[in-house]
Amino acid sequence: MVSSTLSDVARLAGVSYATADRVVNQRSRVSEKAARKVNDAVAQLGYVRNVAAANLSQRRTYRFVFLLPDGPNAFFQKIRGIISARDQDQRNTMLEQIDVPAFNEKALRTQLANLYGQKIDGVAVVGLDVQGLAPELTALRSLGTPVVSLISDLPRDHRNAYIGIDNIAAGRTAARLLGMAHAGQAGRLQVVAGDLTARDHRDRLAGFRQVITADFPTITMPDLIEGRDDSVLIAKAMTISLADNPDLTAIYSIGAGNNGLIQAIRAQSLRPIVALHELVCLSRSALCDGLIHYVIDQRPEEEVDAALALMRALIDNVPPPPIKPILPTIYLRDNLPPLPEQEPPQ
């Protein structure tokens, strides 16, 4: 079957090719009557707009902006490297990165407000799930700018989609691994988070507690440590916890700042079982040295590629690609992938 062309649409609608082109590609306003005729012809013929050809004719360049937490977080430095590589690989696409102080609602609101009115084709945000961001997110989307939450979700009603792992399932997975490692024995388990305004941290904690409470009731937990992904704060807090809880059998680190966690563990003669997130240089080395035991990695390359594909489809007004589940990988010292290029410590 031969596909319909824009000339076919114009002929059936009884308008000029230029008018059909303006309607289909939304280049400028035409009369309501002409637009209706063209849209009726599109539906009747089953015409599918050739986005690539339209962009080529317009010399279209996409501009996508990523708002990422700043600081020495090795995982987000890895994300930055992936985005930079994609920026170099893709034609007609500009990928910009803006650093935002981690867990800082006011700073994130300011950066979102700064993007309002700029010529942007999509914004990907490592989000905070706080309603205070709603005005800025609503304003961006009112201009037709797609907003995608990446890795950590935004308020659900104020973004187009979320790209990332199921963090409740990730927390449940960590709990199952650490719970089974106790082999039915009692234990004491310290949880370390960054900040619970981050949806990914809050969901991981919720999933973790669900499994420990339901299936491993003999494992108790001291008060949560919120270290704001700061390795210095976490080292101090973890050293205190190890001293106050000499019977500590396990540690679950929800976020970053794991350099401080590993420093505190290294100073102990009796070492607990440890699970944390993201395979970076530090966690790989700690696995090999036996300082930690499980790493749950969320495949950041897949997340960046999915966010780009989705934003492009939304701004092109074509059916978005299906958002496939991103399934994390569990790494032990026995199944590590080949060593990547050197990454900074977390």
Side-chain angles (χ1 to χ4, degrees):
M1 180 178 177
V2 178
S3 299
S4 299
T5 66
L6 191 56
S7 295
D8 297 327
V9 171
R11 190 177 303 111
L12 180 61
V15 301
S16 68
Y17 182 93
T19 297
D21 177 71
R22 286 196 293 271
V23 174
V24 169
N25 291 304
Q26 302 177 354
R27 291 183 177 174
S28 59
R29 294 183 62 84
V30 301
S31 71
E32 185 177 335
K33 181 179 179 181
R36 184 170 60 253
K37 287 182 176 180
V38 171
N39 289 327
D40 288 346
V42 166
Q44 186 174 336
L45 294 171
Y47 172 76
V48 178
R49 174 174 172 256
N50 188 327
V51 176
N55 288 341
L56 182 62
S57 68
Q58 298 177 65
R59 297 183 179 179
R60 169 73 177 276
T61 298
Y62 295 92
R63 181 187 175 198
F64 297 125
V65 176
F66 289 78
L67 300 181
L68 306 173
D70 66 1
N73 184 320
F75 174 69
F76 286 115
Q77 291 193 32
K78 187 174 185 177
I79 290 282
R80 290 185 184 90
I82 294 167
I83 294 170
S84 296
R86 299 299 186 268
D87 187 32
Q88 295 173 10
D89 292 344
Q90 299 192 41
R91 294 185 299 173
N92 303 326
T93 303
M94 293 173 53
L95 304 183
E96 299 180 23
Q97 303 179 46
I98 297 176
D99 289 343
V100 183
F103 311 119
N104 189 319
E105 177 187 344
K106 182 178 179 181
L108 184 53
R109 289 190 64 177
T110 298
Q111 291 295 350
L112 288 168
N114 289 343
L115 295 177
Y116 182 80
Q118 294 191 40
K119 185 174 172 44
I120 296 171
D121 295 301
V123 180
V125 186
V126 177
L128 299 176
D129 189 21
V130 291
Q131 287 298 320
L133 299 173
E136 286 73 25
L137 296 171
T138 300
L140 278 173
R141 295 179 70 205
S142 71
L143 299 178
T145 304
V147 176
V148 174
S149 54
L150 179 67
I151 297 166
S152 182
D153 209 356
L154 293 159
R156 293 175 185 269
D157 294 337
H158 302 288
R159 46 75 166 158
N160 293 84
Y162 163 67
I163 300 294
I165 61 172
D166 181 336
N167 283 294
I168 290 179
R172 291 179 63 88
T173 299
R176 187 75 55 194
L177 291 169
L178 294 175
M180 290 191 301
H182 284 76
Q185 301 298 309
R188 191 151 175 82
L189 193 158
Q190 178 68 67
V191 180
V192 184
D195 189 303
L196 298 186
T197 59
R199 180 65 177 268
D200 56 336
H201 289 210
R202 193 166 73 245
D203 282 355
R204 289 175 189 177
L205 179 61
F208 189 85
R209 283 175 169 166
Q210 288 170 7
V211 170
I212 293 297
T213 300
D215 296 344
F216 304 99
T218 60
I219 297 177
T220 60
M221 292 184 284
D223 291 341
L224 173 73
I225 292 174
E226 286 190 75
R228 299 187 63 80
D229 288 355
D230 184 312
S231 60
V232 175
L233 292 178
I234 291 173
K236 292 179 180 177
M238 198 65 241
T239 299
I240 293 170
S241 178
L242 287 163
D244 291 346
N245 301 280
D247 55 345
L248 203 67
T249 54
I251 300 171
Y252 172 42
S253 176
I254 288 175
N258 289 315
N259 195 19
L261 172 65
I262 290 170
Q263 288 176 22
I265 294 170
R266 194 185 296 274
Q268 304 297 308
S269 55
L270 295 176
R271 291 171 178 165
I273 306 162
V274 181
L276 50 79
H277 288 266
E278 316 315 344
L279 186 67
V280 293
C281 182
L282 175 75
S283 55
R284 173 187 288 269
S285 297
L287 270 180
C288 292
D289 293 344
L291 295 171
I292 66 173
H293 305 84
Y294 309 109
V295 172
I296 302 171
D297 187 73
Q298 63 180 299
R299 302 172 182 263
E301 296 87 356
E302 292 185 24
E303 292 172 324
V304 170
D305 290 341
L308 286 172
L310 180 60
M311 289 190 292
R312 188 185 294 268
L314 290 171
I315 200 65
D316 284 340
N317 197 28
V318 299
I323 301 177
K324 299 178 181 179
I326 297 174
L327 302 177
T329 300
I330 300 171
Y331 288 113
L332 314 177
R333 64 190 300 180
D334 310 285
N335 69 332
L336 287 170
L339 190 67
E341 294 183 6
Q342 184 72 13
E343 294 171 341
Q346 187 173 27

